[in-house]
Amino acid sequence: AAADAAACLGAGAQWWTWSHRALAAGLVLALPAVAAGAVELAVRRIPRAAVGSVAVHISCMLAAFVCFLVSYGLRGAQAPPAQAAPPSALAFSAAGVAAVLLGGWFGGTLVYRFAIGSRTV
Protein backbone atom coordinates (compact mmCIF):
# COMPACT_ATOMS: atom_id res chain seq x y z
CA ALA A 1 0.00 0.00 0.00
CA ALA A 2 2.91 2.36 0.72
CA ALA A 3 4.37 1.59 -2.71
CA ASP A 4 0.95 2.23 -4.27
CA ALA A 5 0.77 5.57 -2.48
CA ALA A 6 4.27 6.52 -3.67
CA ALA A 7 3.36 5.63 -7.25
CA CYS A 8 0.11 7.58 -7.06
CA LEU A 9 2.01 10.60 -5.76
CA GLY A 10 4.29 10.50 -8.78
CA ALA A 11 7.42 8.95 -7.26
CA GLY A 12 7.96 6.91 -10.41
CA ALA A 13 6.67 3.91 -12.32
CA GLN A 14 9.07 1.57 -10.51
CA TRP A 15 6.80 1.86 -7.47
CA TRP A 16 4.06 -0.03 -9.34
CA THR A 17 6.59 -2.85 -9.74
CA TRP A 18 7.48 -2.73 -6.05
CA SER A 19 3.82 -2.77 -5.12
CA HIS A 20 3.17 -5.80 -7.33
CA ARG A 21 6.12 -7.69 -5.83
CA ALA A 22 5.23 -6.71 -2.26
CA LEU A 23 1.67 -7.96 -2.74
CA ALA A 24 2.94 -11.28 -4.10
CA ALA A 25 5.41 -11.69 -1.23
CA GLY A 26 2.82 -10.72 1.37
CA LEU A 27 0.32 -13.25 0.05
CA VAL A 28 2.91 -16.02 0.14
CA LEU A 29 4.18 -15.06 3.60
CA ALA A 30 0.65 -14.89 4.99
CA LEU A 31 0.33 -18.65 4.62
CA PRO A 32 2.84 -19.58 7.38
CA ALA A 33 1.26 -16.92 9.61
CA VAL A 34 -2.15 -18.51 9.09
CA ALA A 35 -0.68 -21.94 9.83
CA ALA A 36 0.92 -20.68 13.04
CA GLY A 37 -2.34 -19.09 14.14
CA ALA A 38 -4.28 -22.26 13.37
CA VAL A 39 -1.84 -24.34 15.42
CA GLU A 40 -2.06 -21.87 18.29
CA LEU A 41 -5.84 -21.94 18.14
CA ALA A 42 -5.90 -25.75 18.11
CA VAL A 43 -3.35 -26.24 20.90
CA ARG A 44 -4.09 -23.48 23.37
CA ARG A 45 -7.19 -23.25 25.50
CA ILE A 46 -8.75 -19.88 24.71
CA PRO A 47 -10.18 -18.06 27.74
CA ARG A 48 -13.90 -17.40 27.40
CA ALA A 49 -13.29 -13.64 27.67
CA ALA A 50 -10.95 -13.78 24.65
CA VAL A 51 -13.25 -15.66 22.26
CA GLY A 52 -14.75 -12.46 20.82
CA SER A 53 -11.31 -10.94 20.21
CA VAL A 54 -10.15 -14.17 18.56
CA ALA A 55 -13.16 -14.15 16.23
CA VAL A 56 -12.62 -10.51 15.23
CA HIS A 57 -8.86 -11.05 14.75
CA ILE A 58 -9.38 -14.09 12.52
CA SER A 59 -12.16 -12.39 10.54
CA CYS A 60 -10.13 -9.24 9.95
CA MET A 61 -7.02 -11.11 8.88
CA LEU A 62 -9.00 -13.34 6.55
CA ALA A 63 -10.72 -10.27 5.07
CA ALA A 64 -7.33 -8.59 4.61
CA PHE A 65 -5.94 -11.64 2.83
CA VAL A 66 -8.94 -11.74 0.49
CA CYS A 67 -8.69 -7.98 -0.19
CA PHE A 68 -5.00 -8.25 -1.07
CA LEU A 69 -5.61 -11.35 -3.19
CA VAL A 70 -8.34 -9.54 -5.15
CA SER A 71 -6.08 -6.49 -5.51
CA TYR A 72 -3.33 -8.70 -6.88
CA GLY A 73 -5.75 -10.37 -9.28
CA LEU A 74 -7.07 -7.04 -10.53
CA ARG A 75 -3.54 -5.92 -11.35
CA GLY A 76 -3.00 -8.89 -13.65
CA ALA A 77 -0.34 -11.55 -13.63
CA GLN A 78 2.14 -9.47 -15.58
CA ALA A 79 5.30 -8.81 -13.58
CA PRO A 80 6.58 -6.17 -13.68
CA PRO A 81 3.31 -4.42 -14.40
CA ALA A 82 3.13 -2.51 -17.66
CA GLN A 83 0.88 0.19 -16.27
CA ALA A 84 -0.54 1.71 -13.12
CA ALA A 85 -2.81 -0.36 -10.95
CA PRO A 86 -6.52 0.18 -11.62
CA PRO A 87 -8.46 2.19 -9.02
CA SER A 88 -10.38 -0.90 -7.95
CA ALA A 89 -7.09 -2.67 -7.07
CA LEU A 90 -6.01 0.35 -5.04
CA ALA A 91 -9.35 0.36 -3.22
CA PHE A 92 -8.98 -3.31 -2.31
CA SER A 93 -5.44 -2.68 -1.07
CA ALA A 94 -6.68 0.19 1.10
CA ALA A 95 -9.43 -2.03 2.50
CA GLY A 96 -6.80 -4.70 3.18
CA VAL A 97 -4.68 -2.22 5.11
CA ALA A 98 -7.68 -1.19 7.20
CA ALA A 99 -8.48 -4.84 7.95
CA VAL A 100 -4.85 -5.56 8.92
CA LEU A 101 -4.79 -2.57 11.27
CA LEU A 102 -8.02 -3.60 12.99
CA GLY A 103 -7.00 -7.26 13.11
CA GLY A 104 -3.58 -6.30 14.44
CA TRP A 105 -5.20 -4.31 17.22
CA PHE A 106 -7.21 -7.34 18.27
CA GLY A 107 -4.15 -9.56 17.88
CA GLY A 108 -2.27 -7.27 20.26
CA THR A 109 -5.17 -7.52 22.68
CA LEU A 110 -4.91 -11.30 22.55
CA VAL A 111 -1.19 -11.23 23.29
CA TYR A 112 -1.00 -8.46 25.87
CA ARG A 113 -4.31 -8.84 27.67
CA PHE A 114 -4.90 -12.59 27.44
CA ALA A 115 -1.27 -13.83 27.01
CA ILE A 116 -2.27 -15.91 24.00
CA GLY A 117 0.81 -16.90 22.04
CA SER A 118 3.14 -16.34 24.95
CA ARG A 119 4.90 -19.13 26.72
CA THR A 120 4.14 -19.39 30.41
CA VAL A 121 6.26 -21.60 32.60
mmCIF file of all heavy atoms in Angstrom, residues 20 23 27 66-78 86 88-89 92:
data_model
loop_
_atom_site.group_PDB
_atom_site.id
_atom_site.type_symbol
_atom_site.label_atom_id
_atom_site.label_comp_id
_atom_site.label_asym_id
_atom_site.label_seq_id
_atom_site.Cartn_x
_atom_site.Cartn_y
_atom_site.Cartn_z
ATOM 1 N N HIS A 20 3.541 -4.488 -6.803
ATOM 2 C CA HIS A 20 3.172 -5.803 -7.330
ATOM 3 C C HIS A 20 3.965 -6.899 -6.618
ATOM 4 O O HIS A 20 3.410 -7.911 -6.185
ATOM 5 C CB HIS A 20 3.441 -5.810 -8.840
ATOM 6 C CG HIS A 20 2.838 -6.958 -9.554
ATOM 7 N ND1 HIS A 20 3.526 -8.119 -9.787
ATOM 8 C CD2 HIS A 20 1.609 -7.139 -10.093
ATOM 9 C CE1 HIS A 20 2.749 -8.958 -10.440
ATOM 10 N NE2 HIS A 20 1.588 -8.388 -10.640
ATOM 11 N N LEU A 23 2.938 -7.232 -2.874
ATOM 12 C CA LEU A 23 1.672 -7.961 -2.745
ATOM 13 C C LEU A 23 1.894 -9.463 -2.888
ATOM 14 O O LEU A 23 1.375 -10.250 -2.081
ATOM 15 C CB LEU A 23 0.676 -7.498 -3.809
ATOM 16 C CG LEU A 23 -0.291 -6.410 -3.424
ATOM 17 C CD1 LEU A 23 -1.087 -5.953 -4.638
ATOM 18 C CD2 LEU A 23 -1.208 -6.851 -2.329
ATOM 19 N N LEU A 27 1.281 -12.145 0.161
ATOM 20 C CA LEU A 27 0.319 -13.247 0.046
ATOM 21 C C LEU A 27 0.978 -14.590 0.345
ATOM 22 O O LEU A 27 0.402 -15.436 1.031
ATOM 23 C CB LEU A 27 -0.311 -13.253 -1.350
ATOM 24 C CG LEU A 27 -1.277 -12.100 -1.621
ATOM 25 C CD1 LEU A 27 -1.622 -12.029 -3.107
ATOM 26 C CD2 LEU A 27 -2.531 -12.233 -0.780
ATOM 27 N N VAL A 66 -8.068 -11.727 1.664
ATOM 28 C CA VAL A 66 -8.939 -11.741 0.488
ATOM 29 C C VAL A 66 -8.836 -10.408 -0.268
ATOM 30 O O VAL A 66 -8.742 -10.392 -1.498
ATOM 31 C CB VAL A 66 -10.399 -12.058 0.884
ATOM 32 C CG1 VAL A 66 -11.358 -11.814 -0.275
ATOM 33 C CG2 VAL A 66 -10.504 -13.494 1.378
ATOM 34 N N CYS A 67 -8.820 -9.294 0.461
ATOM 35 C CA CYS A 67 -8.689 -7.978 -0.195
ATOM 36 C C CYS A 67 -7.385 -7.879 -0.982
ATOM 37 O O CYS A 67 -7.374 -7.419 -2.125
ATOM 38 C CB CYS A 67 -8.750 -6.858 0.839
ATOM 39 S SG CYS A 67 -10.401 -6.536 1.470
ATOM 40 N N PHE A 68 -6.287 -8.318 -0.376
ATOM 41 C CA PHE A 68 -4.996 -8.253 -1.070
ATOM 42 C C PHE A 68 -4.945 -9.230 -2.243
ATOM 43 O O PHE A 68 -4.357 -8.920 -3.280
ATOM 44 C CB PHE A 68 -3.846 -8.500 -0.100
ATOM 45 C CG PHE A 68 -3.622 -7.368 0.858
ATOM 46 C CD1 PHE A 68 -3.555 -7.606 2.221
ATOM 47 C CD2 PHE A 68 -3.481 -6.064 0.415
ATOM 48 C CE1 PHE A 68 -3.350 -6.568 3.120
ATOM 49 C CE2 PHE A 68 -3.280 -5.018 1.301
ATOM 50 C CZ PHE A 68 -3.207 -5.268 2.651
ATOM 51 N N LEU A 69 -5.565 -10.379 -2.097
ATOM 52 C CA LEU A 69 -5.615 -11.349 -3.189
ATOM 53 C C LEU A 69 -6.411 -10.783 -4.365
ATOM 54 O O LEU A 69 -5.981 -10.885 -5.522
ATOM 55 C CB LEU A 69 -6.234 -12.653 -2.699
ATOM 56 C CG LEU A 69 -6.238 -13.823 -3.672
ATOM 57 C CD1 LEU A 69 -4.817 -14.233 -4.037
ATOM 58 C CD2 LEU A 69 -6.981 -15.001 -3.051
ATOM 59 N N VAL A 70 -7.535 -10.158 -4.082
ATOM 60 C CA VAL A 70 -8.344 -9.537 -5.147
ATOM 61 C C VAL A 70 -7.558 -8.392 -5.784
ATOM 62 O O VAL A 70 -7.533 -8.255 -7.012
ATOM 63 C CB VAL A 70 -9.700 -9.052 -4.591
ATOM 64 C CG1 VAL A 70 -10.431 -8.177 -5.613
ATOM 65 C CG2 VAL A 70 -10.560 -10.234 -4.187
ATOM 66 N N SER A 71 -6.889 -7.588 -4.978
ATOM 67 C CA SER A 71 -6.081 -6.493 -5.513
ATOM 68 C C SER A 71 -5.005 -7.026 -6.456
ATOM 69 O O SER A 71 -4.790 -6.473 -7.537
ATOM 70 C CB SER A 71 -5.437 -5.699 -4.371
ATOM 71 O OG SER A 71 -4.618 -4.683 -4.882
ATOM 72 N N TYR A 72 -4.359 -8.088 -6.039
ATOM 73 C CA TYR A 72 -3.325 -8.699 -6.884
ATOM 74 C C TYR A 72 -3.942 -9.202 -8.188
ATOM 75 O O TYR A 72 -3.379 -9.002 -9.263
ATOM 76 C CB TYR A 72 -2.637 -9.834 -6.129
ATOM 77 C CG TYR A 72 -1.458 -10.405 -6.869
ATOM 78 C CD1 TYR A 72 -0.231 -9.755 -6.854
ATOM 79 C CD2 TYR A 72 -1.562 -11.597 -7.575
ATOM 80 C CE1 TYR A 72 0.859 -10.276 -7.534
ATOM 81 C CE2 TYR A 72 -0.486 -12.126 -8.251
ATOM 82 C CZ TYR A 72 0.728 -11.464 -8.227
ATOM 83 O OH TYR A 72 1.802 -11.976 -8.903
ATOM 84 N N GLY A 73 -5.088 -9.850 -8.083
ATOM 85 C CA GLY A 73 -5.751 -10.366 -9.277
ATOM 86 C C GLY A 73 -6.185 -9.265 -10.233
ATOM 87 O O GLY A 73 -6.085 -9.422 -11.453
ATOM 88 N N LEU A 74 -6.637 -8.155 -9.685
ATOM 89 C CA LEU A 74 -7.072 -7.041 -10.533
ATOM 90 C C LEU A 74 -5.904 -6.371 -11.261
ATOM 91 O O LEU A 74 -6.097 -5.743 -12.298
ATOM 92 C CB LEU A 74 -7.812 -5.997 -9.696
ATOM 93 C CG LEU A 74 -9.184 -6.417 -9.193
ATOM 94 C CD1 LEU A 74 -9.727 -5.399 -8.187
ATOM 95 C CD2 LEU A 74 -10.150 -6.584 -10.366
ATOM 96 N N ARG A 75 -4.724 -6.513 -10.718
ATOM 97 C CA ARG A 75 -3.539 -5.920 -11.354
ATOM 98 C C ARG A 75 -3.056 -6.749 -12.525
ATOM 99 O O ARG A 75 -2.290 -6.268 -13.348
ATOM 100 C CB ARG A 75 -2.413 -5.783 -10.329
ATOM 101 C CG ARG A 75 -2.725 -4.796 -9.241
ATOM 102 C CD ARG A 75 -1.770 -4.973 -8.068
ATOM 103 N NE ARG A 75 -2.247 -4.248 -6.927
ATOM 104 C CZ ARG A 75 -1.768 -3.062 -6.544
ATOM 105 N NH1 ARG A 75 -0.801 -2.494 -7.204
ATOM 106 N NH2 ARG A 75 -2.272 -2.458 -5.499
ATOM 107 N N GLY A 76 -3.445 -8.002 -12.582
ATOM 108 C CA GLY A 76 -3.000 -8.890 -13.650
ATOM 109 C C GLY A 76 -1.752 -9.639 -13.240
ATOM 110 O O GLY A 76 -1.064 -9.280 -12.289
ATOM 111 N N ALA A 77 -1.464 -10.681 -13.970
ATOM 112 C CA ALA A 77 -0.337 -11.554 -13.632
ATOM 113 C C ALA A 77 0.979 -11.051 -14.214
ATOM 114 O O ALA A 77 2.005 -11.665 -14.004
ATOM 115 C CB ALA A 77 -0.625 -12.967 -14.134
ATOM 116 N N GLN A 78 0.943 -9.981 -14.932
ATOM 117 C CA GLN A 78 2.139 -9.468 -15.580
ATOM 118 C C GLN A 78 3.086 -8.859 -14.553
ATOM 119 O O GLN A 78 2.715 -7.985 -13.781
ATOM 120 C CB GLN A 78 1.724 -8.404 -16.606
ATOM 121 C CG GLN A 78 2.836 -7.975 -17.508
ATOM 122 C CD GLN A 78 2.311 -7.018 -18.566
ATOM 123 O OE1 GLN A 78 1.114 -6.889 -18.749
ATOM 124 N NE2 GLN A 78 3.215 -6.342 -19.242
ATOM 125 N N PRO A 86 -5.202 -0.439 -11.469
ATOM 126 C CA PRO A 86 -6.519 0.181 -11.618
ATOM 127 C C PRO A 86 -7.043 0.671 -10.266
ATOM 128 O O PRO A 86 -6.658 0.150 -9.214
ATOM 129 C CB PRO A 86 -7.387 -0.946 -12.177
ATOM 130 C CG PRO A 86 -6.662 -2.203 -11.888
ATOM 131 C CD PRO A 86 -5.218 -1.859 -11.763
ATOM 132 N N SER A 88 -9.754 0.143 -8.750
ATOM 133 C CA SER A 88 -10.379 -0.903 -7.945
ATOM 134 C C SER A 88 -9.334 -1.706 -7.173
ATOM 135 O O SER A 88 -9.554 -2.079 -6.011
ATOM 136 C CB SER A 88 -11.221 -1.828 -8.830
ATOM 137 O OG SER A 88 -10.421 -2.392 -9.859
ATOM 138 N N ALA A 89 -8.176 -1.952 -7.771
ATOM 139 C CA ALA A 89 -7.093 -2.668 -7.075
ATOM 140 C C ALA A 89 -6.578 -1.840 -5.914
ATOM 141 O O ALA A 89 -6.295 -2.372 -4.833
ATOM 142 C CB ALA A 89 -5.966 -2.989 -8.049
ATOM 143 N N PHE A 92 -9.089 -2.054 -3.054
ATOM 144 C CA PHE A 92 -8.980 -3.312 -2.313
ATOM 145 C C PHE A 92 -7.732 -3.335 -1.435
ATOM 146 O O PHE A 92 -7.762 -3.862 -0.319
ATOM 147 C CB PHE A 92 -9.011 -4.511 -3.259
ATOM 148 C CG PHE A 92 -10.396 -4.976 -3.590
ATOM 149 C CD1 PHE A 92 -10.974 -4.657 -4.806
ATOM 150 C CD2 PHE A 92 -11.131 -5.717 -2.680
ATOM 151 C CE1 PHE A 92 -12.259 -5.070 -5.112
ATOM 152 C CE2 PHE A 92 -12.421 -6.137 -2.975
ATOM 153 C CZ PHE A 92 -12.991 -5.814 -4.191
#
